Amino acid sequence: MKVCKFGGTSVASAEQIKKVAAIVQSDPTRRLIVVSAPGKRFNDDIKVTDLLIELANAALQQDAVEEKLKNVIKRYESNANGLGLDHVICEVIESDLRKRIAEAGSVADEQLMDSLKASGEDNNAKMIAAYFDSIGLKAKYMSPLEAGLIVNDLPARAQALPKAYDNLSVLKDSQEIVVFPGFFGYTEEGVLRTFERGGSDITGSILAAAVKAELYENFTDVDSVFCANPKVVNCPVEIQEITYREMRELSYAGFSVFHDEALMPVYKIGIPVCIKNTNNPSAPGTRIVSVRESNHSPVTGISADSGFSILYVSKYLMNREIGFGRKLLQILEDENISYEHTPSGLDDISVIIRSHQLTSEKEDRIVKRVETELQADDVHFRHDFSMIVIVGEGMNNNTGLAARAATAISKTGANIEMINQGSSEVSLVFGVRKEFENKILQALYNEFFALSATNLK
Amino acid sequence: MKVCKFGGTSVASAEQIKKVAAIVQSDPTRRLIVVSAPGKRFNDDIKVTDLLIELANAALQQDAVEEKLKNVIKRYESNANGLGLDHVICEVIESDLRKRIAEAGSVADEQLMDSLKASGEDNNAKMIAAYFDSIGLKAKYMSPLEAGLIVNDLPARAQALPKAYDNLSVLKDSQEIVVFPGFFGYTEEGVLRTFERGGSDITGSILAAAVKAELYENFTDVDSVFCANPKVVNCPVEIQEITYREMRELSYAGFSVFHDEALMPVYKIGIPVCIKNTNNPSAPGTRIVSVRESNHSPVTGISADSGFSILYVSKYLMNREIGFGRKLLQILEDENISYEHTPSGLDDISVIIRSHQLTSEKEDRIVKRVETELQADDVHFRHDFSMIVIVGEGMNNNTGLAARAATAISKTGANIEMINQGSSEVSLVFGVRKEFENKILQALYNEFFALSATNLK
């Protein structure tokens, strides 16, 4: 069986939900359907989740909620009408929302917020199950509470507990198609908790792992994952197959197609994932797999991300001091700062950090501690760097790949500030000044993909 | 004034000591002379220090010492004869050695060993001072005890205390040329302690810093430092000027001309160093300075060293775990292992370690701890790697240098296993399989030096 997750744009309107039904109908192995809340129908549209946040804030501040409630209901009504459903489903949804709002004051604020946000997925699942049934697709809505999607007690970033997988595994025996809301689960005490950003992807991945699906299909609004950012590179090559770890390394630098934590459950037991387009379901999409056939290019994708800072520390004879690097990382950890890379010379070390974690106070404290506790000769921060990541299975065995990449970068006139290669067998990271980022991404794309792209057209 | 240090081959024989005297005589600013013990006069010769170690071992094991003592004395007698000195100096030396041997049993074994080893420099300084005097160069032997070269209490790796510099500073006012033995000092309690390997270089550097010399001349048996290992590269280019930090980065990979700790005292106050040849004093030598004029090549030197292992650790979502790298380094620190570099991907990190620090038991313990304490998905060691280091001031601003280097390496057919750039502004490190080391060193030399070498010839 296949688990299919449909994202916000895929279930935004009656028209979109009809496409979903057609997709499910076309393949009898699509038995377990995870849905998001209705997303944007057009560019300036407001997502139902955002309407729900407004509603929750009003409820929390004891403001008038009726109009904000109506805004939410109207979206469901419009979909129900378009799908030819009678008004009963909207009454179910309205009563559900009123029940959630009524809890304001008696439950913690963050719990009310989580509950209202999660209602977007929950009620959409009810409506989609009703629609499936109405067109003869035998389906049932399944509540995560009833199904036993047990999570730990971390508001807004809950994680499924092992027993959740046991509980959910029985869904594989369901006679009806199961329509399951994404984005949330319940603690052992029955408190609703939501997953992180991208939470419906997580639900789909958990379900796919629990029922040991043959495939986890993730339907979104693009035909496939591109090998480079299409906002920078014109019509980049589509990736047909990519391994989990290639996908992970690309997600480093904002390849935001798939939330990285979401891959974990399927990665662990090797269930392949397919990213597909609800609006063009016959396109083959991008498959994420454990192992893939090699293709012609050693490079699968190139990503780039800005917003990095470099902490530079030098001290004469640093390399003879056992524990220097560890103590430096401890100082960063004390400030709750994570780091990306630590290139080092003999007498110096640099720490590459995402800049958003820094404040000028934190920087001052870190510099002072490194000066006094580690007696460094020089300590300073530099800002405005970008990281460019070249990813490909087996590129470690491709003699000359680093040379090709470095040559392509140097032809742009940019200076390479950092190179990191040697741990991951599938990635090569270059640090450059932010202003060169797009130019370099284009140059690397030309070097590794331009020819095959021409062939494909 | 200048401080001049003469190494073992420079003071190995009467003939060599005459060259030293001529060098000192030729420049009235050469006022402070540091000498090693007599080194090898020819390839199969035995250094006096090695004869002294044999003597010390005999004394410690209460074996007969007379013959071994005679072997040492014979070397001094031969030099004294060649220098036309009367027998008094040899009697002074013999009586000094007998006094040291007599302490066997009443002092710690390591102290006796240190004392006998240090006598090589100490007695040679006495003889050279006597010779200088005999030819009208007004000179005096200076004992480190009398001069106040106070060190901390670390046998065989003592370090000078700050007050040593104060004590030694008065030597700048000496009316006579001072002949000072290298390699050792005394603790506050008056116990003799030796420096690390290369210890006479350290003494020279301390004296140069203490008297604020205009130049620290380090006389050895080569005209200059080569830009690459002459055992691998045929007739490499001689380095005329190099900065302290370039010298440091080159010392990474066994550029053994100068002991790295020895540079510290002069580096700290910016005293230039000149490496010169006792056998060809008119050659300009290699100057080590704080800042140097840029020359045509962005690369100053290339060094290579084998004997590296790589510890590889991977874990899905590692990059989200604050403290992972720090905990990993802590485990290595618990085993007293220092590391060179830590290239990292998103879900993995490699630690480059000098292999001599590892045993199979240590490796097993580390792998087990990383698996259990850090719950890594994969942990293993790989061995037989070499590091190739390209060093040059300002190469950080040289667009395309990494590309040239990587291209030159790839043309050898070697795969680049690791690249580390981005902390030191003066070095770029490539990790490769050991079997490619020499081929790559030659290829990089050809890329960055071959043309200028041709010009120089």
Side-chain angles (χ1 to χ4, degrees), chain A residues 196-197 244-245 248-252 259-264 267 310 312-313 315-327 329-330 332-333 336-350 352 357 377 380 382 395-404 406-411 413-425 427-429, chain B residues 196-197 244-245 248-252 259-264 267 310 312-313 315-327 329-330 332-333 336-350 352 357 377 380 382 395-404 406-411 413-425 427-429:
Chain A
E196 275 196 272
R197 171 178 75 87
Y244 294 119
R245 55 180 192 166
R248 264 292 288 163
E249 294 289 331
L250 284 172
S251 76
Y252 173 80
H259 187 243
D260 51 5
E261 197 179 317
L263 272 178
M264 175 78 108
Y267 159 78
I310 300 180
Y312 173 84
V313 180
K315 181 178 183 180
Y316 201 76
L317 298 183
M318 182 191 288
N319 76 321
R320 294 175 151 227
E321 234 178 277
I322 288 189
F324 192 95
R326 195 259 311 154
K327 287 174 202 154
L329 297 182
Q330 181 70 64
L332 292 174
E333 200 175 328
N336 205 31
I337 287 171
S338 66
Y339 66 92
E340 306 291 319
H341 305 289
T342 56
S344 59
L346 226 70
D347 287 342
D348 39 33
I349 182 167
S350 289
I352 317 290
Q357 301 180 94
D377 298 332
H380 61 262
R382 294 194 300 153
M395 63 178 237
N396 207 30
N397 295 318
N398 192 282
T399 303
L401 190 134
R404 282 174 69 189
T407 303
I409 293 174
S410 73
K411 281 185 189 156
N415 197 33
I416 298 171
E417 308 276 339
M418 188 209 81
I419 308 178
N420 189 296
Q421 185 202 329
S423 184
S424 165
E425 287 160 5
S427 77
L428 173 57
V429 184
Chain B
E196 274 196 273
R197 173 178 72 88
Y244 295 118
R245 56 180 192 165
R248 264 293 286 163
E249 294 290 330
L250 283 172
S251 76
Y252 172 83
H259 187 243
D260 51 5
E261 197 179 318
L263 272 178
M264 174 79 107
Y267 158 78
I310 300 180
Y312 174 84
V313 180
K315 182 178 183 181
Y316 200 75
L317 297 184
M318 182 191 287
N319 75 322
R320 294 175 149 228
E321 234 178 277
I322 288 188
F324 192 96
R326 195 259 312 155
K327 286 174 202 155
L329 296 182
Q330 180 70 62
L332 292 174
E333 200 175 328
N336 204 31
I337 288 171
S338 66
Y339 66 92
E340 306 290 319
H341 305 288
T342 55
S344 60
L346 225 71
D347 286 343
D348 38 32
I349 181 167
S350 288
I352 317 291
Q357 302 180 94
D377 297 332
H380 62 263
R382 294 194 299 154
M395 63 178 237
N396 207 30
N397 295 317
N398 193 280
T399 303
L401 191 134
R404 281 174 69 189
T407 303
I409 294 174
S410 73
K411 281 185 187 155
N415 196 32
I416 299 171
E417 307 277 340
M418 187 209 81
I419 307 177
N420 189 297
Q421 185 203 328
S423 182
S424 165
E425 286 160 6
S427 77
L428 172 58
V429 185

Side-chain angles (χ1 to χ4, degrees), chain A residues 29 32-33 45 78 81 85 88 102 120 143 146 192 215 219 228 268 283 294 324 337 370 401 404 411 424 444 454:
Chain A
T29 65
L32 202 36
I33 314 301
D45 198 15
S78 151
N81 289 340
L85 295 175
V88 176
S143 154
E146 188 191 334
L192 182 153
L215 182 65
F219 283 87
K268 275 196 170 164
S294 73
F324 192 95
I337 287 171
V370 174
L401 190 134
R404 282 174 69 189
K411 281 185 189 156
S424 165
L444 291 171
T454 315

Side-chain angles (χ1 to χ4, degrees), chain B residues 430-441:
Chain B
F430 292 94
V432 296
R433 304 278 332 164
K434 182 184 183 319
E435 59 265 33
F436 291 105
E437 180 185 315
N438 288 351
K439 213 169 164 186
I440 290 171
L441 185 58

Side-chain angles (χ1 to χ4, degrees), chain A residues 248-387:
Chain A
R248 264 292 288 163
E249 294 289 331
L250 284 172
S251 76
Y252 173 80
F255 246 60
S256 57
V257 175
F258 214 95
H259 187 243
D260 51 5
E261 197 179 317
L263 272 178
M264 175 78 108
V266 284
Y267 159 78
K268 275 196 170 164
I269 57 172
I271 293 170
V273 179
C274 194
I275 313 265
K276 285 179 77 76
N277 190 352
T278 301
N279 305 314
N280 184 20
S282 62
T286 298
R287 280 174 69 90
I288 311 176
V289 296
S290 300
V291 185
R292 67 175 172 82
E293 304 268 314
S294 73
N295 52 12
H296 299 301
S297 170
V299 176
T300 301
I302 309 167
S303 65
D305 209 359
S306 57
F308 291 93
S309 295
I310 300 180
L311 167 63
Y312 173 84
V313 180
S314 78
K315 181 178 183 180
Y316 201 76
L317 298 183
M318 182 191 288
N319 76 321
R320 294 175 151 227
E321 234 178 277
I322 288 189
F324 192 95
R326 195 259 311 154
K327 287 174 202 154
L328 178 64
L329 297 182
Q330 181 70 64
I331 289 172
L332 292 174
E333 200 175 328
D334 292 346
E335 294 285 351
N336 205 31
I337 287 171
S338 66
Y339 66 92
E340 306 291 319
H341 305 289
T342 56
S344 59
L346 226 70
D347 287 342
D348 39 33
I349 182 167
S350 289
V351 188
I352 317 290
I353 296 167
R354 284 198 181 267
S355 313
H356 68 79
Q357 301 180 94
L358 297 169
T359 61
S360 63
E361 292 75 30
K362 277 193 178 191
E363 288 183 26
D364 288 348
R365 277 200 301 272
I366 291 166
V367 167
K368 196 158 285 172
R369 283 190 64 187
V370 174
E371 279 172 351
T372 55
E373 295 172 28
L374 300 183
Q375 279 138 39
D377 298 332
D378 185 11
V379 195
H380 61 262
F381 278 91
R382 294 194 300 153
H383 303 288
D384 296 322
F385 290 93
S386 290
M387 297 290 143

